[in-house]
Amino acid sequence: MDGIKYSVVTDKGIRLLLKNQYTFNVESGSTRTEIKHWVELFFGVKVIAVNSHRLPGKSRRMGPIMGHTMHYKRMIVTLPPGYYIPPLRRKELKSKY
């Protein structure tokens, strides 16, 4: 679990849970195959697909100096029907769309 930082809980992330897709922020140097291996090993599930995108860092100001935070990578992991990651999936999760 060195590459996975934490799971992402946003509006889009919750909508993706209904499609059996889970969103994680990962280390920026992680590859798709590494993330697939870690998720399968740690959670004991089968992974169909892993999609990734790099998000830009945010601008920050400290007095007169303008800087920015580091960019980070987000992975969307798709699981087959019947598999789920227990701490992230609840029975009462229903779609309102």
Side-chain angles (χ1 to χ4, degrees), residues 33-63:
T33 54
E34 289 174 350
I35 297 301
K36 179 180 178 181
H37 176 71
W38 287 330
V39 170
E40 287 178 345
L41 187 67
F42 187 73
F43 295 112
V45 296
K46 182 170 174 52
V47 175
I48 294 176
V50 178
N51 297 333
S52 66
H53 60 282
R54 189 183 68 83
L55 296 156
K58 297 180 179 180
S59 297
R60 296 285 184 241
R61 176 179 294 279
M62 293 196 73

Side-chain angles (χ1 to χ4, degrees), residues 2 4 7-9 12 14 28 34-35 41 62 71 73 75 85-86 90:
D2 296 331
I4 298 175
S7 64
V8 178
V9 181
K12 182 179 178 179
I14 292 171
S28 60
E34 289 174 350
I35 297 301
L41 187 67
M62 293 196 73
H71 66 270
K73 190 180 263 188
M75 298 272 184
I85 297 176
R90 295 189 296 170

Side-chain angles (χ1 to χ4, degrees), residues 17-97:
L17 283 175
L18 299 172
K19 298 178 184 178
N20 217 15
Q21 295 179 331
Y22 297 86
T23 309
F24 299 101
N25 277 358
V26 297
E27 296 290 333
S28 60
S30 301
T31 63
R32 293 178 189 204
T33 54
E34 289 174 350
I35 297 301
K36 179 180 178 181
H37 176 71
W38 287 330
V39 170
E40 287 178 345
L41 187 67
F42 187 73
F43 295 112
V45 296
K46 182 170 174 52
V47 175
I48 294 176
V50 178
N51 297 333
S52 66
H53 60 282
R54 189 183 68 83
L55 296 156
K58 297 180 179 180
S59 297
R60 296 285 184 241
R61 176 179 294 279
M62 293 196 73
I65 301 169
M66 190 68 176
H68 65 282
T69 60
M70 295 297 293
H71 66 270
Y72 56 98
K73 190 180 263 188
R74 185 170 286 170
M75 298 272 184
I76 300 173
V77 177
T78 305
L79 305 180
Y83 287 93
Y84 64 95
I85 297 176
L88 304 177
R89 180 72 178 199
R90 295 189 296 170
K91 285 185 177 179
E92 62 270 12
L93 186 64
K94 295 180 182 175
S95 175
K96 62 179 182 180
Y97 299 106

